Amino acid sequence: MRNAPTILHLDMDAFFASVEQASKPSLRGKAVVVGGLGPRGVVATASYEARVFGVHSAMPMAQARRLAPNAAYLVPRFGLYRSISDQVMALLRALSPLVEPLSLDEAFVDLEAGGAAWDEASARLAGQKLRADIRAVTALTGSVGLAASKMLAKIASERAKPDGLVLIEPGTERALLGPLSVRTLPGVGPATGDHLRRAGISTVEEIAEAGEDELVRLLGKAHGHALYAMALAHDERPVVAERETKSVSVEDTYDVDIHDRLRVGLEVQRLADRCVRRLRGAGLSGRTIVLKVRRYDFSTLTRSETLRGPTDDPAVVREAAARLLDSVDTTGGVRLLGVGVSGLADYTQEDLFAQAAAGEGVDVLAAEAVPEPVAEQEAVAERRWPAGHDVRHAEYGHGWVQGSGLGRVTVRFETPGSSEPGRVRTFRVDDPGLEPTDPLPLVPGGQGVR
């Protein structure tokens, strides 16, 4: 472990919810919950105002609504989140060539590798400048942790939340870690935490006191050794700039179980197309097609098929996914479906299209089009106006959807730069003057969705 706090961990504060508050003046300072709004939806992010009521990530949306009935509930705008994440990651890469993104809103940075910091004072200055630059570029806040290791830098950023900076001075690590819960350490989840608690170990200091042999006896050789080292503040993991993508996948959870086999097949085809779009967007192809099916009783099945070579052809992926579906019994109903591609490469093997063609003369354009059942077309029409998404009206300008139903859509007309909440108006869902549009940048002159 190094002797200067030159590893930085950035965690954007309540990222999705903060983006929504920054782009919607009427929601600033209010409880905001972002996630799936259906009966089986879960919370992706809750603003700090919503967390006061006990709402947190991964909570069922129905439970969140009971805890905070007056919060604003919004459908995620992932395109905007990714665009803002790109801006933040660009700021991090200006500091160092060693940036390890963990998600859209979180990353490690090796400041020493980029010459941005070499001691405590320079590390603190780099962290302060980064927070100021993030606010200037995105209008958002991020919390920064600085320490001599990745584990401690992440702990420091948690202690800095929200909108703060915490630096752990070398030499003080053991004193800081000692009274903390064992759940603070990486790799200690609920099951491991309960196992340690039953053995009388609930703090990091008690892990160190128990000794390495006892931890190996309780948790096994690899886990026991690693946990003991971390309890002593030893963490030699480097910041890794490129984390190889192992798979690309998409999945949908359905509000009502799907029983119709034809509908299940069409959903799988649609998911295959979405997966290929994501695959192509990343400039990748893959050899192994994976189908995931969660049935009515919560049992989850996965099936896979490996092709002769990598492909990004939608017809090939659809055909393989359909073959995999043939081996799965869905008669009791399906609550979740997913399609993925693994065995990734940065090239394609063009002749694989032959695998998807039933014979000569296949119309490629026809193969690209997967018809949707009438019921699904109607559902899509009903969902044209997701809560929180951007719209533009020919007369009133830019706004966002507050809600829709019964043939009506309610829109609040305001923009990120507004100082006051905008006016609310209601329209028919088929109003010719109203149409979906792209999000506006959070900062004037900045980037919106690319």
Side-chain angles (χ1 to χ4, degrees):
M1 196 164 72
R2 59 189 68 185
N3 56 13
T6 53
I7 292 182
L8 179 149
H9 181 260
L10 171 71
D11 197 350
M12 300 295 290
D13 299 322
F15 184 49
F16 296 173
S18 293
V19 170
E20 300 301 340
Q21 289 176 317
S23 66
K24 300 172 171 65
S26 58
L27 297 185
R28 293 170 190 168
K30 305 290 181 62
V32 174
V33 181
V34 180
L37 303 190
R40 292 175 178 168
V42 296
V43 175
T45 308
S47 70
Y48 287 99
E49 296 85 357
R51 296 180 192 187
V52 171
F53 298 97
V55 180
H56 58 77
S57 299
M59 171 182 284
M61 192 62 76
Q63 183 181 355
R65 288 185 184 276
R66 289 193 295 270
L67 293 172
N70 296 320
Y73 289 87
L74 307 176
V75 176
R77 296 186 292 168
F78 288 114
L80 178 60
Y81 306 151
R82 279 191 291 269
S83 177
I84 295 171
S85 174
D86 289 345
Q87 294 176 280
V88 172
M89 296 302 165
L91 293 173
L92 298 184
R93 292 187 178 96
L95 289 173
S96 172
L98 293 184
V99 176
E100 183 178 340
L102 303 179
S103 62
L104 288 177
D105 60 341
E106 185 180 3
F108 287 109
V109 183
D110 188 335
L111 297 175
E112 190 174 322
W118 50 91
D119 59 11
E120 180 181 332
S122 57
R124 187 181 296 276
L125 284 174
Q128 291 170 341
K129 182 177 185 303
L130 173 64
R131 293 179 60 240
D133 288 345
I134 289 172
R135 186 185 290 273
V137 171
T138 70
L140 304 175
T141 63
S143 295
V144 167
L146 293 158
S149 71
K150 290 169 70 172
M151 176 185 73
L152 290 164
K154 185 171 175 61
I155 290 172
S157 71
E158 285 295 321
R159 295 168 72 89
K161 282 188 164 294
D163 191 20
L165 182 151
V166 168
L167 183 149
I168 298 177
E169 299 178 8
T172 67
E173 297 94 347
R174 289 286 302 276
L176 171 73
L177 286 174
L180 299 180
S181 165
V182 295
R183 292 288 305 277
T184 304
L185 299 181
V188 181
T192 302
D194 288 344
H195 191 52
L196 291 171
R197 181 179 51 79
R198 288 194 295 270
I201 300 173
S202 58
T203 67
V204 176
E205 184 176 11
E206 289 168 346
I207 289 179
E209 291 173 350
E212 189 169 12
D213 291 343
E214 176 65 6
L215 287 170
V216 168
R217 186 185 70 81
L218 288 170
L219 304 175
K221 187 174 181 180
H223 201 179
H225 282 314
L227 203 58
Y228 182 70
M230 288 183 179
L232 299 180
H234 297 161
D235 178 18
E236 302 296 339
R237 294 173 300 160
V239 176
V240 181
E242 295 297 332
R243 310 185 80 193
E244 183 180 357
T245 301
K246 296 183 178 180
S247 65
V248 173
S249 63
V250 297
E251 62 182 45
D252 276 346
T253 300
Y254 303 99
D255 294 343
V256 179
D257 290 348
I258 302 175
H259 293 83
D260 180 21
R261 182 74 177 188
L262 175 61
R263 170 76 188 281
V264 172
L266 289 169
E267 286 292 322
V268 167
Q269 301 287 285
R270 184 178 60 82
L271 289 166
D273 285 346
R274 279 176 52 196
C275 183
V276 168
R277 287 197 295 272
R278 184 171 295 183
L279 195 69
R280 288 179 168 180
L284 297 170
S285 59
R287 294 185 63 216
T288 302
I289 314 303
V290 181
L291 175 71
K292 177 179 177 181
V293 180
R294 181 166 298 150
R295 299 188 292 190
Y296 69 98
D297 58 358
F298 287 89
S299 62
T300 302
L301 305 176
T302 58
R303 299 287 186 269
S304 64
E305 175 181 321
T306 299
L307 307 174
R308 294 197 306 270
T311 185
D312 65 353
D313 192 306
V316 174
V317 177
R318 282 199 302 264
E319 184 77 9
R323 286 194 297 271
L324 295 171
L325 180 61
D326 287 341
S327 66
V328 178
D329 180 12
T330 62
T331 53
V334 170
R335 61 185 292 121
L336 176 147
L337 290 168
V339 174
V341 177
S342 61
L344 301 182
D346 57 2
Y347 66 94
T348 61
Q349 187 167 314
E350 299 298 338
D351 67 351
L352 282 175
F353 182 74
Q355 296 186 24
E360 296 183 359
V362 172
D363 186 342
V364 177
L365 292 178
E368 292 282 349
V370 179
E372 296 178 339
V374 173
E376 181 173 338
Q377 292 175 344
E378 292 173 351
V380 170
E382 186 66 24
R383 294 195 300 266
R384 280 179 57 206
W385 310 109
H389 281 224
D390 298 83
V391 295
R392 172 167 290 280
H393 191 272
E395 181 179 353
Y396 302 108
H398 192 97
W400 59 276
V401 176
Q402 281 199 325
S404 63
L406 301 176
R408 297 288 188 273
V409 54
T410 299
V411 177
R412 185 180 288 274
F413 290 98
E414 59 186 3
T415 61
S418 305
S419 58
E420 299 292 334
R423 298 188 63 180
V424 176
R425 297 184 180 276
T426 299
F427 307 90
R428 291 179 56 87
V429 294
D430 57 356
D431 188 309
L434 189 67
E435 61 182 3
T437 191
D438 291 333
L440 297 175
L442 301 186
V443 175
Q447 297 175 345
V449 176
R450 291 188 303 232

